[in-house]
Amino acid sequence: MLWVLNYISEFFLSLFARGRTGSLRSATLSDGLRIILATTFFAFAQRTVNSAFKVFTDGLSVTAEIHAPDEIYYWIEAYLLKHSSVSNISLDLDKQSSPDLGQKEDNEGERGDDDYWYIFKYIWETIWPTGKTIPRTLTISSKRTKTHLDAQKKRVLKRRLGDMTEKEVDEGRKIRINIRPSLDVVQRVQFGNRIIQVKTQNTDSRSRLMDEEKRTLIISSFLGTPTTLMSFIRTAKDEYYVNSSSYVSIYSAHMRSYACEWIKGPTRNIRPWESVILPTGVKESLLKDCQDFLDEHDFYLKRGVPHRRGYLLYGEPGSGKSSFISALAAKLKLDIHIVSLGTRGMDDDKLNSLLQDCPDKCLLLMEDIDCAFKSRSVSRPAEETSNLPIPENMEHEQPKSNGTTIVKRKKMSSSHTAPDHSSTGITLSGLLNAIDGVGSSEGRLLFCTTNWKEHIDEALSRPGRCDVWVEFRYATQQQARELFVYFYSARHLSDGIQKSPKDLVEVKINGHVDQTESEELQTMGKRFASAIPDYTVSVSALQGYLMRYKRDPVTAVEEVQDWVLGGCSQSPSIAIGNGAVQNQSISVNRLANGDGSINGDAILQEEA
Ligand SMILES: Nc1ncnc2c1ncn2[C@@H]1O[C@H](COP(=O)(O)OP(=O)(O)OP(=O)(O)O)[C@@H](O)[C@H]1O
């Protein structure tokens, strides 16, 4: 090798010397030239070896690309989260330990710089001493959690209403740190007796942003075959669904300029079946109908009937239609695919292709199906409406001679008006074709919801498209009683706060649920329900009322009579307008809506 370098340098020096005076031969120049040549030679040699090695490994590897937002992308991400030492880790800065770490820090209670030390300590410990498979280039980003936003709203109010407790201040600081390998960093995971390499790339090569939708996973296996990758993907899928058994995946339509595709949204905790309270037997018979349908594929096939079933849930707002569908999807272990007919840019073609892309065995949900086509004005039989209070946002007109009463929605702000047909570009015939489409998925449960069944064209609601109609009315006394008992049930109140649905499910799975609630609670539930006449108030309004007395069932019973006599007020307990708090005596808890969220209107008014 030295001989080669000497020869080359001599050659260049002689050229150089001839070009000048012919006698310049400095030793320094000669050494310098040798160094340059040596460096060039080594760089060239290294590249050649690398390229040869790459050609060799590429030739013996099988590689696949998976583009987000394809579902497989999320299966593999979840798999990496579990099996790769550092990949897509989420840490709560406010928590002192992470389940991934399995160890508790000794700086409990302290915050600030320690949090950052905690993360770097974690990364350091993970890299050392097994650094070979761990990426050393990480992307660390912070994200304020949702709780933080809620707490922020709370803070705005609390500033007006009084001092914040320390706990609430803490909530406001919740920040989540995401640690994931940087783009182009290769991660390796052991899969059976093979190593699978996974690299994240940006589909858009110009962008360095970790934009979810633009990411591509490159998975490869040395000396593997396509079957290796397929079984890796299958394992990732199986693990994903085992781990997500307490969640429901929700897909929604994502508009692109040329087409429309399903995008997986964030998973949601499943809604416990028992938490949806309907008149006796309704839930069970609907569940049975769905289960029978899903089991009857051959029956449909032999008779040449498309294996699809449609359900129309109609009736009063806040009566549990959406809640029931989400609990049902969890019970049947089906993903929910939501089509919003009011989406801007949606047209017949896009809707059709969307429904064609719908997977077999899924729950397809079209909410407020009346909105896409007609304005909200409706005729109802007089006897049907006579015993109902007129909701605040409605007005009755004079009964007509044919015995019907017009119930009209009062004019709402623009954000509440139903999108009109012209803006969505969907026609009734387009919708019908999409639902009946030849290539549509099999084993699909279509759920349509509306508050205004009368607005729905008969062609849409006829059997074959909507085979089962279920009316959701205001609460019966039985529902009011069951809601009360469920709400204050001991299993939710151990700490005075309702536990998450996930906790409830776990408790139930472990068989620790005490099904027989205390007699006292049952008696209180009866007293509560007896004050509420059948079909006068929605379950969501009842839930909102109970939220005012989250930890105080006794007062909830005592006050309910007055609440009913006062017209079952559903207005916010605190209204802040013109910079003044209207009712200071009520605690902030009372601001919570039925679903526990904070009333946005009140906050907006205050902020303004
Ligand atoms: N039957 C019910 N059982 C339990 N909770 C209910 C029931 N009905 C309503 N709720 C509660 O009221 C809130 C609104 O319910 P949901 O969205 O299911 O009503 P909806 O009938 O779909 O209303 P809308 O027609 O306005 O969409 C939820 O927080 C839910 O917990």
Side-chain angles (χ1 to χ4, degrees):
M1 173 111 62
L2 263 176
W3 177 82
V4 176
L5 284 176
N6 267 333
Y7 182 80
I8 299 173
S9 65
E10 288 295 329
F11 173 73
F12 277 108
L13 279 171
S14 64
L15 280 182
F16 186 71
R18 240 177 274 141
R20 293 281 188 129
T21 58
S23 61
L24 188 64
R25 277 187 162 231
S26 110
T28 321
L29 189 60
S30 161
D31 287 348
L33 205 56
R34 264 193 210 106
I35 290 170
I36 293 170
L37 284 171
T39 319
T40 317
F41 180 79
F42 279 119
F44 176 73
Q46 193 194 16
R47 282 199 177 186
T48 313
V49 171
N50 278 353
S51 307
F53 186 71
K54 194 166 179 320
V55 169
F56 175 70
T57 50
D58 284 358
L60 295 176
S61 296
V62 58
T63 305
E65 284 186 15
I66 295 149
H67 302 277
D70 194 292
E71 213 167 329
I72 301 173
Y73 182 94
Y74 298 102
W75 301 342
I76 294 176
E77 253 201 352
Y79 188 88
L80 291 177
L81 180 64
K82 199 167 164 204
H83 297 279
S84 174
S85 307
V86 176
S87 95
N88 307 319
I89 295 167
S90 280
L91 301 172
D92 255 339
L93 275 190
D94 303 75
K95 277 196 188 146
Q96 297 305 312
S97 69
S98 146
D100 299 317
L101 282 167
Q103 58 184 20
K104 204 161 171 62
E105 292 293 302
D106 50 10
N107 59 344
E108 223 172 307
E110 288 179 31
R111 199 164 272 108
D113 290 345
D114 285 349
D115 292 328
Y116 295 99
W117 163 238
Y118 164 74
I119 289 167
F120 289 119
K121 187 164 170 259
Y122 172 64
I123 296 168
W124 173 254
E125 282 173 359
T126 331
I127 293 171
W128 183 263
T130 57
K132 59 182 186 322
T133 62
I134 313 298
R136 289 158 197 270
T137 322
L138 303 168
T139 300
I140 302 182
S141 57
S142 66
K143 185 181 176 194
R144 290 189 180 264
T145 59
K146 232 177 166 189
T147 332
H148 164 81
L149 296 177
D150 286 348
Q152 209 171 29
K153 286 180 183 175
K154 262 192 216 168
R155 271 217 307 271
V156 173
L157 278 164
K158 272 267 173 176
R159 228 183 296 137
R160 287 288 174 96
L161 300 174
D163 290 337
M164 286 170 67
T165 65
E166 204 177 308
K167 190 163 173 261
E168 279 163 332
V169 176
D170 283 353
E171 274 203 350
R173 280 194 195 144
K174 248 184 194 157
I175 297 178
R176 182 160 283 258
I177 294 289
N178 293 323
I179 302 174
R180 54 167 59 132
S182 289
L183 290 175
D184 297 330
V185 169
V186 176
Q187 300 174 69
R188 294 177 183 84
V189 273
Q190 184 81 33
F191 178 65
N193 54 2
R194 294 193 187 282
I195 299 285
I196 304 282
Q197 295 197 13
V198 185
K199 190 163 78 172
T200 312
Q201 282 187 341
N202 234 340
T203 318
D204 178 1
S205 55
R206 286 162 304 173
S207 164
R208 293 292 302 166
L209 291 175
M210 289 289 259
D211 186 351
E212 281 253 334
E213 269 185 40
K214 289 186 179 147
R215 275 186 265 153
T216 300
L217 284 181
I218 316 280
I219 55 170
S220 61
S221 162
F222 182 61
L223 293 180
T225 62
T227 323
T228 317
L229 294 188
M230 287 314 291
S231 59
F232 172 66
I233 291 171
R234 200 173 305 122
T235 309
K237 179 192 164 207
D238 291 346
E239 284 201 10
Y240 180 87
Y241 281 105
V242 168
N243 292 334
S244 63
S245 60
S246 46
Y247 300 98
V248 170
S249 295
I250 299 188
Y251 295 79
S252 55
H254 185 72
M255 301 299 299
R256 298 204 182 274
S257 51
Y258 51 92
C260 194
E261 61 186 19
W262 292 111
I263 295 279
K264 186 172 177 295
T267 44
R268 302 252 176 90
N269 276 337
I270 61 170
R271 171 129 198 171
W273 182 246
E274 318 79 59
S275 76
V276 182
I277 292 154
L278 298 182
T280 315
V282 172
K283 262 190 324 183
E284 292 69 21
S285 58
L286 275 171
L287 175 65
K288 183 165 183 321
D289 189 87
C290 293
Q291 280 168 336
D292 287 349
F293 162 75
L294 291 172
D295 293 342
E296 279 170 350
H297 179 257
D298 287 350
F299 179 92
Y300 281 75
L301 195 71
K302 282 178 190 156
R303 284 157 185 79
V305 181
H307 188 221
R308 295 172 211 140
R309 196 157 175 84
Y311 296 79
L312 176 65
L313 311 189
Y314 66 94
E316 307 301 341
S319 54
K321 297 182 286 297
S322 309
S323 308
F324 170 73
I325 291 167
S326 125
L328 181 75
K331 194 87 177 163
L332 296 171
K333 295 195 166 44
L334 295 178
D335 293 332
I336 301 179
H337 286 65
I338 302 180
V339 185
S340 178
L341 298 178
T343 307
R344 187 172 287 276
M346 179 73 87
D347 59 26
D348 290 348
D349 288 342
K350 286 178 183 159
L351 180 70
N352 196 30
S353 74
L354 201 61
L355 265 56
Q356 304 259 330
D357 282 350
C358 214
D360 287 348
K361 277 208 173 187
C362 75
L363 194 155
L364 179 64
L365 172 59
M366 293 188 186
E367 283 195 299
D368 294 326
I369 195 143
D370 56 298
C371 289
F373 306 107
K374 289 190 180 171
S375 63
R376 290 177 174 239
S377 164
V378 64
S379 295
R380 285 187 177 180
E383 67 274 16
E384 199 187 312
T385 52
S386 57
N387 63 339
L388 300 179
I390 306 169
E392 275 174 27
N393 57 345
M394 309 286 175
E395 57 191 3
H396 274 176
E397 283 181 1
Q398 287 303 312
K400 287 192 169 180
S401 53
N402 63 4
T404 61
T405 306
I406 305 289
V407 182
K408 272 189 180 169
R409 214 160 248 226
K410 280 183 187 170
K411 204 170 182 311
M412 292 176 175
S413 66
S414 58
S415 61
H416 289 110
T417 49
D420 66 359
H421 166 50
S422 56
S423 70
T424 65
I426 292 186
T427 62
L428 178 63
S429 64
L431 175 63
L432 299 180
N433 286 338
I435 291 176
D436 292 341
V438 189
S440 280
S441 52
E442 294 280 303
R444 185 201 66 197
L445 296 166
L446 169 65
F447 275 85
C448 301
T449 69
T450 178
N451 298 134
W452 302 92
K453 176 170 151 274
E454 295 82 352
H455 274 179
I456 296 182
D457 196 285
E458 280 174 13
L460 180 60
S461 59
R462 73 153 169 79
R465 293 191 179 113
C466 290
D467 308 274
V468 181
W469 296 358
V470 189
E471 185 179 10
F472 282 65
R473 299 181 68 183
Y474 283 148
T476 61
Q477 290 197 336
Q478 162 249 328
Q479 282 175 283
R481 179 176 50 76
E482 285 182 22
L483 181 75
F484 184 93
V485 173
Y486 184 81
F487 193 88
Y488 293 112
S489 150
R491 63 182 190 265
H492 308 163
L493 284 176
S494 58
D495 54 2
I497 296 170
Q498 276 193 298
K499 287 193 173 168
S500 75
K502 194 178 160 214
D503 293 343
L504 295 180
V505 171
E506 276 164 9
V507 174
K508 190 147 174 56
I509 287 168
N510 294 334
H512 296 312
V513 173
D514 178 11
Q515 293 293 358
T516 52
E517 299 298 343
S518 77
E519 274 183 28
E520 195 186 350
L521 194 57
Q522 293 284 359
T523 314
M524 286 167 76
K526 275 185 199 151
R527 273 184 57 207
F528 174 78
S530 64
I532 297 161
D534 277 338
Y535 308 121
T536 52
V537 61
S538 68
V539 180
S540 71
L542 285 177
Q543 183 184 269
Y545 171 79
L546 295 179
M547 287 297 285
R548 299 180 186 186
Y549 307 99
K550 279 195 240 175
R551 302 173 181 90
D552 190 1
V554 176
T555 316
V557 174
E558 282 169 1
E559 305 271 312
V560 68
Q561 190 83 48
D562 290 347
W563 180 66
V564 172
L565 290 175
C568 302
S569 152
Q570 293 177 50
S571 51
S573 308
I574 298 179
I576 302 171
N578 302 325
V581 178
Q582 312 283 308
N583 186 353
Q584 287 238 26
S585 63
I586 303 169
S587 79
V588 161
N589 285 341
R590 292 191 179 199
L591 262 168
N593 290 325
D595 57 2
S597 62
I598 301 296
N599 190 296
D601 288 348
I603 288 161
L604 283 178
Q605 284 182 44
E606 195 250 14
E607 281 173 340

